Amino acid sequence: RLGADVDVFFAPSGTDLEYVGLLAAAGRRPGGIVNYLLGADEVGSGCIHSAAGRYFADETALNVKVSPGTDLAGLPRIEMADAPVRTDKGEAHDSAGLTASLEHSIAAAQESDRLALVHVVHGSKTGLVLPRLEDVDRLRARFGDDIAFVVDACQARITDEAIRDYLQRGIIVFVTGSKVMGGPPFSGFALIPPGLAPSAAPLAEGMANVFRRAEV
């Protein structure tokens, strides 16, 4: 029940979808991107590399031999910012408290002319949803064009209503077909809000090692 104006970017896996968020954020600030990967231990294990614009395996889905941890060509400077969703005792952080911590860090990124890219975790491997939608709106209201979001819903623990809520706010949603949807292993797709794809910067050249033309 998505509108016909929602674009779809396909990917070999949920981990590869992290590149889509970087592509959407590239070129928006001269200082590059600060990427806030919430719940790094509750998403795909390779995401800490792909979210930093690096290869995460020794070959891509196109059978291109690469070295894990090396940068993909053409992406801007990317800084990874740690944003744990649980305390040292394993208790989930409160959304409001987590958002307050993010606000302080994002303000610092803003001062150095970098774009903050925040990952919303919706249905992590242990079912967490952080930050909550009202706190996402709080960040959007304060930082405006100096912040961007993607939603990691790769576990597909999300309703169609929630997907529409995010898209209406101009937020990209990551989903994979290989979990509850019962599709092929590793299949991933990003739902792109209307108008975002035409305004994005040209694809980084390194993406030719990852994606097929038809996926894009």
Side-chain angles (χ1 to χ4, degrees), residues 122-187:
H122 195 114
S124 70
K125 292 183 178 180
T126 60
L128 295 179
V129 178
L130 286 171
R132 297 285 179 178
L133 193 59
E134 58 267 26
D135 290 317
V136 170
D137 286 340
R138 170 178 153 190
L139 291 172
R140 291 173 65 242
R142 175 173 176 181
F143 295 106
D145 292 338
D146 291 316
I147 191 170
F149 295 88
V150 295
V151 173
D152 185 340
C154 284
Q155 301 292 321
R157 293 171 177 156
I158 189 170
T159 64
D160 53 356
E161 180 182 6
I163 289 174
R164 289 195 298 273
D165 284 341
Y166 289 125
L167 292 173
Q168 288 169 0
R169 288 165 169 78
I171 298 174
I172 297 172
V173 181
F174 298 158
V175 190
T176 54
S178 59
K179 302 290 194 305
V180 71
M181 297 182 189
F186 303 110
S187 55

